[in-house]
Amino acid sequence: MKQLPQKNIAQCGTSLSLLLASSLLASSAFAQPALPAYDLLLHEGHVIDAKNHIDAVMDVAIKDGKIAKVAEHIPSTDALKTIDAKGLYVTPGLIDLHVHVYNGTGERGSYAGDLSVPPDGFTFRVGVTTVVDAGCSGWKNFEDFKQRIIDRSKTRVLAMLNIVGSGMRGDKYEQNMADMDGEATAQMALKYPETVVGIKTAHFGGPEWTPVEQAVIAGTKANIPVMVDFGTDRPTRPLYDLLTKKLRPGDIYTHMYSGLRQEQDPTTLGPSKAFIEGRKRGIFFDTGTGGGSFKWSLAVPMVKDGFIPDSISTDLHVGSMNGATKDELNVASKMMAIGLSLQEVVAEMTSHPAHEIKHEELGNLSEGSVADIAVLRVEKGHYGFTDMQNTRVDGTEKLVAELTIKDGKIVYDLNGMEARRWNEPLDPNAKYASRWTTFAPRPPDTHNTAPATEMPH
Ligand SMILES: [Zn+2]
């Protein structure tokens, strides 16, 4: 290494600070070069971040699992790894507000068992980084759900507790009003405030208001929203009363386009008076399309009337994943096929659901936020989208996830955007790859630097 020439110091004077500066310069020649400011840079993607009102081509820099900077131009020399996202959309990691993932108990015919799906199999491949389990478990079995699934999944799994203490295990349990205890449910919710984000009531067939009333007691005590699947339509408990009297502003009505419970005005085919009044009061409306909860004959005229969802969710389970629902991006593509903009559906899968569950830290790309990101492609072509009655709407656009990033690291990469070609040399920064990807590069084969001239036998 070279010492700074003595005359330079003399020319510049001999103040203490300059001497310090020159000695630092000299010693840095021995040290490793400093790492760039960012771990990963997504370059020139079209960022849609509803919370921050961004809808433009921007660069997104990530450092230590957090969003470090979103700006018009961030030089790639500032990052260990740069990925070209030109022509793609960069959004916050998607939040699916209504899924069923209490899988693996072995219980047949139960959403706390065989009817649920394992979350990681259905999330990253469609840009989803957070799911909310909608009431598979109640206060009695939540801790089993937590240790079995929530704590072991790569996906961020949040939960709404079923107002039924035993959870969503079939009619024998779900119709049992003696097992609907708002107080006990609130206590469990308050024990896990990071994970329990709501209370769910579902599938109730009786004429009573008990499940809704107990759910609201629990939701009020724990200061979290109630999500309602309103079960059997009963004249003793009209939808109008649910949305204008029983629920609180901020509670959530799921299966909004099911047509099973007075959602649609029979004359105008637009939203019913209950829906209009409920929205005015601040009730949120969620798709939860599921296996039997979405009809084009409702969705088309209601969207035409401007009654669009607050949140887009799947109600994912074994009966919907291969049916009309399929996955989160398919439901979003459906809504686009009947008139919603890309910007609207992205908001309904990011900042809106985060707001509904009072987890405003999720669903945005604010600097300092957790770096959960979906990189989406809008494919053009001819597509068909079905509903629970097996009727179809044709569309020309379909959303596809190219890349999913969770906590700053790539967890899904459809077309190997991040990977090097097999016969290219290793990136000099590859030794730092664990800072931006879960797919660790293996050391290059010692013998494959040149293509083989002979076929192996
Ligand atoms: Zn459901």
Side-chain angles (χ1 to χ4, degrees), residues 142 158-161 188-189 192-199 224 359:
F142 170 73
L158 305 174
M160 295 185 181
L161 292 182
M188 185 57 74
Y192 298 100
E194 299 302 310
T195 310
V196 177
V197 299
I199 307 294
I224 49 180
H359 276 254

Side-chain angles (χ1 to χ4, degrees), residues 325-346:
T325 287
K326 297 181 178 71
D327 58 51
E328 180 75 351
L329 287 182
N330 191 58
V331 179
S333 302
K334 284 179 170 185
M335 299 315 295
M336 287 170 68
I338 58 171
L340 269 70
S341 68
L342 176 63
Q343 287 72 13
E344 284 170 327
V345 301
V346 168

Side-chain angles (χ1 to χ4, degrees), residues 100-104 116-123 149 153 155 316 318 321:
H100 295 280
V101 294
Y102 188 2
N103 168 275
S116 278
V117 297
D120 294 346
F122 299 85
T123 49
I149 301 291
S153 297
T155 309
L316 193 70
V318 297
M321 68 186 195

Side-chain angles (χ1 to χ4, degrees), residues 98-100 111 134 168 200 203 229 254-255 315-317:
H98 182 163
V99 301
H100 295 280
Y111 288 94
M168 205 175 274
K200 179 81 183 291
H203 306 163
D229 160 331
T254 192
H255 307 315
D315 187 10
L316 193 70
H317 51 70

